[in-house]
C-alpha cells in the first residue's frame, strides 16, 4: 500500500477521548504532557527510541529512521527531566515527515519549537542537556504512562492527551469510534431540543424509585 494510511487520519479526527472510549477504555497514556502547539491533533504509527539514562544518542538514530507519517516516541526506561530534543533535532524530524513527537523527557528551545510548527507533546520543558554516551534502542516496545507502545501501534495525541491503539485493533476501533460519534451526535440533537441526560439515561426514574 503506498501513501499514508487513512486510518490514522480518521483516528486523529475522532480524537483521543472518543478513541479511548471506543477501544473499551484501553490504551490511555496516563501521564501529564505539555502540548507545545495547542490545537493540533495527530495520529500515526509509532517509531520508538528508548534512550539511555539522561542520554539522547538514540534520538539521532531515530531521526535517521523516521518515515513520513510516523509519530516518534522518545522515552527512557526511567525518564528524567533532561532535554533530549531541541530546535535542531526537531527540524530534522519535521524534514523527515514525522507527524508528531511524543517525548517522555524534556525539550528545550520551546519557543522555537512552537514556531517550527511540528506537533510535540513533552513531559517537561528543561534546558538541562543530555549526554550522548549510550546508543539506546530503536523500535523496541516501551511502556509510557502505564501503556505498552509497540512499533507500528497507532499513537494519537490532541488536547485531551495521548492514547495508543494496538496495530491489530485499528480497524475495529475506527469502526467503534464512528459508531460512538454517531450515537453522540444523536444525543446532542436531543439535548439541543431540551432533553436531559438525567432522563435519557434513566437516572431520574431510578432515583425516584430509590435505586442506587
Amino acid at each position: 500500500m503506498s501513501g499514508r494510511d487513512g486510518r490514522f487520519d480518521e483516528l486523529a479526527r475522532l480524537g483521543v477521548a472518543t478513541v479511548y472510549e471506543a477501544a473499551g477504555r484501553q490504551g490511555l497514556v496516563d501521564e501529564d504532557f505539555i502540548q507545545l502547539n495547542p490545537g493540533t491533533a495527530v495520529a500515526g504509527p509509532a517509531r520508538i527510541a528508548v534512550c539511555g539514562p539522561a542520554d539522547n544518542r538514540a534520538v539521532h538514530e531515530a531521526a535517521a529512521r523516521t518515515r513520513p507519517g510516523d509519530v516518534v516516541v522518545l522515552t527512557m526506561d526511567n525518564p528524567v527531566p533532561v532535554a533530549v530534543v531541541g530546535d535542531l533535532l526537531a527540524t530534522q524530524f519535521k524534514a523527515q515527515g514525522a507527524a508528531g513527537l511524543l517525548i517522555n523527557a524534556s525539550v528545550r528551545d520551546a519557543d522555537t519549537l512552537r514556531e517550527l510548527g511540528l506537533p510535540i507533546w513533552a513531559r517537561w520543558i528543561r534546558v538541562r542537556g543530555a549526554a550522548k554516551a549510550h546508543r539506546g534502542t530503536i523500535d523496541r516496545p516501551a511502556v509510557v504512562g502505564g501503556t505498552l507502545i509497540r512499533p507500528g501501534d497507532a499513537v494519537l495525541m490532541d488536547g485531551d492527551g495521548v492514547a495508543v491503539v494496538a496495530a491489530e485493533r485499528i480497524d475495529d476501533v475506527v469502526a467503534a469510534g464512528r459508531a460512538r460519534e454517531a450515537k453522540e451526535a444523536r444525543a446532542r440533537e436531543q439535548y439541543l431540543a431540551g432533553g436531559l441526560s438525567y432522563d435519557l439515561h434513566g437516572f431520574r426514574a431510578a432515583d425516584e424509585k430509590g435505586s442506587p
Side-chain angles (χ1 to χ4, degrees):
M1 179 177 179
S2 61
R4 178 169 168 80
D5 188 336
R7 299 177 303 166
F8 296 114
D9 293 328
E10 187 67 353
L11 287 171
R13 186 192 68 78
L14 289 166
V16 167
T18 294
V19 168
Y20 164 67
E21 295 289 348
R25 296 189 173 181
Q26 296 179 20
L28 175 67
V29 178
D30 195 8
E31 191 61 79
D32 291 328
F33 286 93
I34 301 164
Q35 184 183 19
L36 263 69
N37 291 288
T40 54
V42 299
R47 170 75 60 184
I48 303 169
V50 181
C51 299
D55 195 283
N56 80 339
R57 178 174 166 182
V59 180
H60 296 263
E61 185 174 353
R65 293 174 178 263
T66 294
R67 297 296 176 264
D70 286 348
V71 170
V72 183
V73 179
L74 307 174
T75 189
M76 304 172 190
D77 287 326
N78 295 291
V80 292
V82 168
V84 298
V85 169
D87 171 25
L88 296 179
L89 273 165
T91 297
Q92 293 180 63
F93 282 114
K94 183 174 182 179
Q96 292 291 92
L101 306 181
L102 175 62
I103 302 173
N104 195 24
S106 299
V107 296
R108 63 183 181 187
D109 306 325
D111 290 340
T112 306
L113 295 185
R114 293 186 182 99
E115 292 173 3
L116 185 64
L118 178 65
I120 296 173
W121 282 251
R123 181 91 172 265
W124 298 286
I125 297 174
R126 297 283 196 281
V127 297
R128 185 177 296 115
K132 295 175 176 58
H134 302 277
R135 181 177 180 184
T137 310
I138 302 298
D139 286 338
R140 77 155 165 88
V143 174
V144 180
T147 291
L148 177 68
I149 307 175
R150 304 169 305 170
D153 286 347
V155 178
L156 57 153
M157 310 183 289
D158 63 19
D160 284 329
V162 182
V164 177
V165 178
E168 65 273 13
R169 296 193 67 205
I170 292 174
D171 288 336
D172 290 341
V173 172
V174 167
R178 288 169 174 162
R180 182 179 179 85
E181 182 182 50
K183 181 180 178 180
E184 291 184 345
R186 292 191 294 271
R188 188 174 297 106
E189 290 177 359
Q190 291 175 300
Y191 299 154
L192 288 171
L196 295 170
S197 57
Y198 188 47
D199 296 313
L200 295 174
H201 289 298
F203 299 145
R204 186 192 301 275
D207 289 348
E208 289 176 352
K209 288 180 181 178
S211 301

